[in-house]
Amino acid sequence: ALGQFQAASVKAAHLRECKLIAYYDIGWCQLITWNWEQASEIFLDLMAEARWSKGFYGYLAAISMGASGGSIASCRAILSELPARIKRTVNIELETFCFRKSKHLASCSNLEYECWLSTLEMLYVWRSLSLTESQAYQIINAIESRPTDLSTSSIAMSVLLGGVAYKSLNKLPRAELYLKISQTIDQPDSRDNYIVVCALSELSEIYHLMEEKEKSVEFATRAQTTYKGYHFENRLYNRIHNLDISPKSGVS
């Protein structure tokens, strides 16, 4: 896929919008394959050239730059400048998220770790976090040795990703433990309840795999009905609604 998008960007060099679309897909391919430095370069170009979503592209550029362990000073500078770039007039939900996160990350003492966590968070929310065994263990090791001064939302997200990693390894009891911890971490800002909803959704899938159908439907129902007004609500609601074990399908 990456090769096709790269070829498309060359062929569409004289068609500005087509070229930018190809660049966007190239950037995501680099994120998906954990090529953080290359992803950052692409999203920096998009931030400079695109007319829309400059805040989103800048956010992706900054977190992938930080995750690569490259210039932390440059990463922090981009994050500090982003709130002024975000107009919150195009995709208000996404831009509000980027506004909040960039302000938080710009002041973090563990910026490389937080950026790495944020890249995985974006891949997960966009349903693009497909883990190899090596990547799963890398996440688990990093989460189990995480810094002690993370924010509440970062702690919850790190534990959630640990559960997702164990789930990918088919270590369901361990995944269940992590996800249960994640969904019980109270978020000071209700907009961060997207993390709780993700944990409940993952637990629903795990119980489905464990053939505990009533618990599966119970957790899907909680994910779908308990929380409102959180980041990515429409995206996550549709994800839950489309689960085979969602409330609409009942208990088989």
Side-chain angles (χ1 to χ4, degrees):
L2 178 58
Q4 293 294 320
F5 290 131
Q6 288 172 330
S9 71
V10 173
K11 290 181 180 179
H14 62 295
L15 301 171
R16 185 176 182 279
E17 296 304 322
C18 292
K19 176 185 174 182
L20 292 178
I21 291 170
Y23 259 42
Y24 177 77
D25 289 321
I26 291 169
W28 272 99
C29 285
Q30 300 289 13
L31 278 182
I32 289 168
T33 52
W34 293 27
N35 292 320
W36 312 130
E37 185 175 355
Q38 293 90 330
S40 178
E41 292 172 359
I42 292 293
F43 289 120
L44 281 173
D45 286 343
L46 283 168
M47 182 176 69
E49 295 186 28
R51 294 189 180 96
W52 309 106
S53 301
K54 286 182 177 292
F56 181 48
Y57 298 144
Y59 178 72
L60 292 175
I63 61 175
S64 51
M65 181 184 294
S68 73
S71 175
I72 296 300
S74 296
C75 171
R76 198 180 298 277
I78 294 171
L79 289 166
S80 298
E81 295 169 0
L82 271 183
R85 292 179 177 269
I86 297 172
K87 307 302 182 183
R88 287 185 281 187
T89 56
V90 181
N91 186 333
I92 296 174
E93 181 182 41
L94 179 58
E95 291 181 344
T96 299
F97 173 82
C98 293
F99 181 89
R100 288 187 63 224
K101 286 284 288 189
S102 60
K103 289 188 71 174
H104 163 69
L105 290 171
S107 62
C108 284
S109 58
N110 298 292
L111 186 54
E112 182 177 346
Y113 184 93
E114 289 266 17
C115 284
W116 174 79
L117 188 65
S118 295
T119 57
L120 298 181
E121 175 183 57
M122 293 306 294
L123 287 171
Y124 175 78
V125 172
W126 256 251
R127 306 209 70 178
S128 300
L129 187 63
S130 180
L131 299 175
T132 65
E133 182 177 347
S134 174
Q135 289 171 333
Y137 279 113
Q138 185 177 335
I139 289 174
I140 290 166
N141 291 335
I143 270 62
E144 291 183 346
S145 60
R146 65 180 179 270
T148 57
D149 58 347
L150 299 179
S151 66
T152 303
S153 60
S154 294
I155 293 170
M157 177 52 67
S158 68
V159 178
L160 169 69
L161 291 171
V164 171
Y166 274 118
K167 179 186 169 193
S168 74
L169 296 169
N170 202 34
K171 297 188 176 184
L172 299 186
R174 192 70 175 167
E176 178 189 13
L177 174 62
Y178 270 61
L179 294 166
K180 279 186 171 181
I181 293 172
S182 180
Q183 61 96 23
T184 59
I185 298 174
D186 291 332
Q187 298 301 324
D189 191 319
S190 63
R191 289 173 292 184
D192 291 326
N193 281 329
Y194 69 96
I195 304 171
V196 181
V197 172
C198 288
L200 291 170
S201 174
E202 291 288 346
L203 283 166
S204 178
E205 291 189 48
I206 283 175
Y207 290 130
H208 179 69
L209 292 171
M210 297 170 70
E211 299 186 352
E212 297 185 43
K213 301 300 176 62
E214 290 186 4
K215 290 180 73 173
S216 178
V217 172
E218 174 194 344
F219 277 82
T221 302
R222 285 176 57 192
Q224 203 170 53
T225 63
T226 305
Y227 301 95
K228 300 293 180 185
Y230 53 85
H231 289 310
F232 310 117
E233 184 170 358
N234 290 334
R235 176 179 290 272
L236 295 176
Y237 184 90
N238 289 333
R239 173 181 174 178
I240 299 163
H241 185 74
N242 291 329
L243 291 174
D244 290 338
I245 42 71
S246 62
K248 61 183 174 60
S249 64
V251 182
S252 59

